[in-house]
Amino acid sequence: MTGHPTPAPARITASILVIGDEILSGRTKDQNIGTIADHLTELGIDLKEVRIVPDEAADIIAAVNAMRGRWTYVFTTGGIGPTHDDITADAIAKAFGVSIDIDPRARALMADYYATRKIELTPARLRMARIPRGATLVKNEVSGAPGFMLGNVIVMAGVPSIMKAMLANATPNLQRGAPIESCTIEIPHPEGEIAELFGAHAQAFPDVAMGSYPQRKDGQLSTQLVLRCADGARLKLAESTLVAQLVAKGLIAPTEDVR
Amino acid sequence: MTGHPTPAPARITASILVIGDEILSGRTKDQNIGTIADHLTELGIDLKEVRIVPDEAADIIAAVNAMRGRWTYVFTTGGIGPTHDDITADAIAKAFGVSIDIDPRARALMADYYATRKIELTPARLRMARIPRGATLVKNEVSGAPGFMLGNVIVMAGVPSIMKAMLANATPNLQRGAPIESCTIEIPHPEGEIAELFGAHAQAFPDVAMGSYPQRKDGQLSTQLVLRCADGARLKLAESTLVAQLVAKGLIAPTEDVR
């Protein structure tokens, strides 16, 4: 041993708060959680929690305060349009205990956007320029009205195309972590037949996250074993050791594709 | 007035707890939340909260205890398979402070299922017969191993086809509420142009939930106004009053289809 081991760098973490009665009633099927999850994984940020709450100020405030104290970032979607049921910006201001009013920067962005499209900037539309004091704007080329970032909370629209534009524009301001590398081993057997071996392997590599996901393809049961680790060398070792054991037990062919 | 108004019956409420690292990493896109949300709406049960947590006992226990005290039901999905990362049943037992062991009823169900398919009931598979003491089994015709209901918590698989079988089998034991009726009015204008009128209308009918949902179809912005209420007569009145106002303002044609 040549000294103390290097401590693993602290992980950057995140959570998502989806706001909207229409998701809870089933009327609208959420598409944003998966998009944000994929994006965070690419940035090396660990998504640790998701919550969906109704358009109720008390629920939004309680959730955002629980999540912003616990994780590096909170991403919210929904509730920042021009109608009476859009209460997210006001709820976030209350959660932080700051004031909220028409923001001159947001108003200017929207005035520009609407002017080139000959759309009137009505009082209802101006409601979308209400931004909590101290927030940074998050631009949106799709519909003009911005989202915002206040402290560690990024507030975005619920419409998927607008959310994507805001997520892209918020990204340069985010800390990134070491990307989590992963590998998937496909086993042409049901989970029950690899569970014991796989469990022992997970114990031998406590620093490598291992998950087992059953699948049914054309009536045949198969299993995907997924290994995930920020340390590529450890991942490779865990993968090759596992493949050798699976081959030895005849559970995969020696030439089995590993991807 | 002929006496005190009849109090509205208490609503039956529910929450969903999705358990799984694979959802948070983006690797698997959840399909169960929307299915359960639609089903609960049909049963007249109000879905009030959803959370997604990783395969970590402390997170599962904290979430299930927060949710089971607040809502009539908690539906969990994921983490009840045969592998080491399937820890939901043990976490639920800990959350309730009850013991957990191989359940003879679950073992018998599985033995039957596997025997007819000539599959071996291995120790790994028997792990799926671990059921917390005091739970009622929730059968599953798709893969044999049951879910369970403990107190007001219904524990189901994460694989969508198995989840659906368990949800159907749990349903006869659920209390139902008065179904929420809804109507949708399609406006061929962006949200900003109806926001003021719609907000005033929502204030006039505080007992009718009103939401506004922007859409973009073939590049044209339109808006769906959704009204929801358990009292069908109030809903009809709120709808006809709103339609009359929209027609008077020229925002919909007098013959506009309302659905």
Side-chain angles (χ1 to χ4, degrees), chain A residues 18-30:
Chain A
V18 174
I19 297 159
D21 291 350
E22 72 281 14
I23 306 289
L24 293 171
S25 75
R27 187 183 170 280
T28 301
K29 303 295 182 280
D30 172 79

Side-chain angles (χ1 to χ4, degrees), chain A residues 116-179:
Chain A
T116 60
R117 284 159 184 82
K118 306 207 187 307
I119 301 172
E120 197 187 343
L121 186 48
T122 57
R125 292 203 170 101
L126 255 186
R127 200 176 135 82
M128 293 190 280
R130 288 172 61 79
I131 304 285
R133 177 174 293 267
T136 308
L137 299 190
V138 176
K139 283 196 194 178
N140 146 42
E141 302 82 4
V142 175
S143 68
F148 60 86
M149 180 166 181
L150 181 60
N152 61 342
V153 179
I154 298 101
V155 174
M156 306 186 293
V159 176
S161 58
I162 304 177
M163 192 288 295
K164 281 181 194 163
M166 291 180 176
L167 186 61
N169 287 327
T171 296
N173 293 317
L174 302 177
Q175 295 180 72
R176 296 171 187 220

Side-chain angles (χ1 to χ4, degrees), chain A:
Chain A
M1 302 297 268
T2 60
H4 296 290
T6 314
R11 299 289 307 166
I12 314 292
T13 58
S15 57
I16 301 173
L17 177 61
V18 174
I19 297 159
D21 291 350
E22 72 281 14
I23 306 289
L24 293 171
S25 75
R27 187 183 170 280
T28 301
K29 303 295 182 280
D30 172 79
Q31 302 173 40
N32 293 325
I33 295 170
T35 304
I36 302 171
D38 284 338
H39 186 69
L40 295 175
T41 295
E42 280 170 24
L43 299 178
I45 297 174
D46 295 345
L47 178 58
K48 302 294 279 182
E49 184 183 10
V50 178
R51 298 194 195 184
I52 308 177
V53 296
D55 299 314
E56 301 282 349
D59 292 313
I60 299 169
I61 293 168
V64 84
N65 279 338
M67 296 164 99
R68 73 189 176 98
R70 189 164 181 205
W71 314 116
T72 315
Y73 297 113
V74 183
F75 294 84
T76 80
T77 67
I80 61 167
T83 53
H84 66 92
D85 55 333
D86 291 306
I87 60 168
T88 298
D90 284 85
I92 299 292
K94 277 201 195 108
F96 278 82
V98 301
S99 61
I100 180 168
D101 206 342
I102 304 280
D103 183 297
R105 302 164 302 169
R107 179 195 208 124
L109 276 179
M110 291 172 64
D112 268 6
Y113 181 91
Y114 288 132
T116 60
R117 284 159 184 82
K118 306 207 187 307
I119 301 172
E120 197 187 343
L121 186 48
T122 57
R125 292 203 170 101
L126 255 186
R127 200 176 135 82
M128 293 190 280
R130 288 172 61 79
I131 304 285
R133 177 174 293 267
T136 308
L137 299 190
V138 176
K139 283 196 194 178
N140 146 42
E141 302 82 4
V142 175
S143 68
F148 60 86
M149 180 166 181
L150 181 60
N152 61 342
V153 179
I154 298 101
V155 174
M156 306 186 293
V159 176
S161 58
I162 304 177
M163 192 288 295
K164 281 181 194 163
M166 291 180 176
L167 186 61
N169 287 327
T171 296
N173 293 317
L174 302 177
Q175 295 180 72
R176 296 171 187 220
I180 297 281
E181 295 185 42
S182 73
C183 70
T184 301
I185 303 172
E186 188 111 25
I187 317 279
H189 299 279
E191 277 196 310
E193 287 168 31
I194 51 86
E196 219 164 327
L197 185 158
F198 193 47
H201 192 64
Q203 284 202 317
F205 287 85
D207 55 329
V208 179
M210 300 194 196
S212 164
Y213 306 104
Q215 297 203 306
R216 187 183 294 263
K217 276 187 202 163
D218 310 323
Q220 288 299 305
L221 287 169
S222 64
T223 305
Q224 289 194 331
L225 304 182
V226 178
L227 280 56
R228 305 177 79 237
C229 186
D231 179 340
R234 283 290 288 172
L235 179 68
K236 277 261 172 290
L237 182 64
E239 178 185 350
S240 59
T241 320
L242 177 59
V243 167
Q245 290 180 54
L246 291 167
V247 169
K249 292 254 182 194
L251 288 163
I252 57 174
T255 55
E256 190 82 26
D257 263 355
V258 176
R259 56 177 177 85

Side-chain angles (χ1 to χ4, degrees), chain B residues 224-248:
Chain B
Q224 289 194 330
L225 305 182
V226 178
L227 279 57
R228 305 176 80 236
C229 186
D231 178 340
R234 282 291 286 171
L235 180 68
K236 276 261 173 290
L237 180 64
E239 179 186 349
S240 58
T241 319
L242 177 58
V243 167
Q245 290 180 53
L246 292 167
V247 169

